[in-house]
């Protein structure tokens, strides 16, 4: 669920909640390769007067444990467009996780290559993950 907390009056969002339901398949090949695939249906919070449509979202990829601290992920991710007549997003994403603790807390650096007009051409990001154990 995504809570619609962005101001619709300021053009920052719809101000409506989105709900997403899906299924994911995760597996492991040996002890270091972890393929995954996810498919979901998103019910889009559609304010009066807008013509947003509900969409399917998906991703497919695999994570590779090089060492217990260094994990790489390659993923294709996409979705239908919420607006009729526009391209939906589709991206190739490469990520590196560095675990600072044995429980999995650490940092992530990722790069993103957009494949459609519905995605940015390129992206880069940095994240932090904390695992409660």
């Amino acid at each position: 669920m995504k809570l619609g907390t962005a101001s619709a009056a300021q053009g920052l969002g719809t101000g409506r909640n989105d709900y997403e339901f899906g299924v994911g398949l995760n597996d492991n090949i040996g002890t270091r390769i972890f393929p995954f695939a996810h498919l979901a249906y998103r019910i889009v919070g559609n304010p009066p007067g807008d013509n947003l449509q509900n969409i399917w979202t998906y991703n497919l990829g695999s994570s590779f444990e090089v060492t217990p601290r260094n994990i790489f992920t390659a993923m294709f991710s996409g979705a239908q467009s919420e607006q009729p007549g526009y391209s939906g997003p589709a991206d190739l994403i490469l990520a590196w996780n560095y675990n600072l603790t044995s429980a999995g807390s650490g940092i992530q650096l990722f790069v993103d290559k957009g494949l459609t007009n519905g995605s940015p051409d390129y992206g880069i990001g940095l994240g932090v993950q904390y695992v409660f154990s």
Side-chain angles (χ1 to χ4, degrees):
M1 178 169 57
K2 177 193 66 77
L3 299 177
T5 59
S7 171
Q10 295 178 344
L12 300 174
T14 64
R16 300 289 176 105
N17 297 341
D18 290 350
Y19 302 91
E20 189 167 296
F21 307 91
V23 63
L25 301 172
N26 301 295
D27 201 0
N28 56 309
I29 300 171
T31 59
R32 295 180 179 244
I33 301 173
F34 308 98
F36 57 86
H38 303 120
L39 178 66
Y41 188 72
R42 181 177 303 156
I43 300 168
V44 177
N46 195 2
D50 282 353
N51 188 25
L52 301 179
Q53 58 191 9
N54 298 334
I55 61 169
W56 288 96
T57 66
Y58 49 89
N59 63 52
L60 174 70
S62 188
S63 294
F64 310 90
E65 182 182 287
V66 178
T67 69
R69 289 192 181 262
N70 291 283
I71 300 168
F72 291 90
T73 301
M75 176 174 60
F76 171 74
S77 179
Q80 293 176 300
S81 175
E82 292 180 2
Q83 296 181 324
Y86 289 90
S87 296
D91 299 85
L92 287 177
I93 300 166
L94 298 174
W96 168 58
N97 283 63
Y98 182 75
N99 293 331
L100 297 169
T101 69
S102 60
S105 296
I107 60 171
Q108 180 187 71
L109 177 65
F110 70 89
V111 294
D112 182 324
K113 170 61 179 128
L115 303 175
T116 67
N117 289 336
S119 297
D121 290 337
Y122 297 96
I124 188 168
L126 176 66
V128 177
Q129 174 177 304
Y130 180 77
V131 177
F132 297 94
S133 54

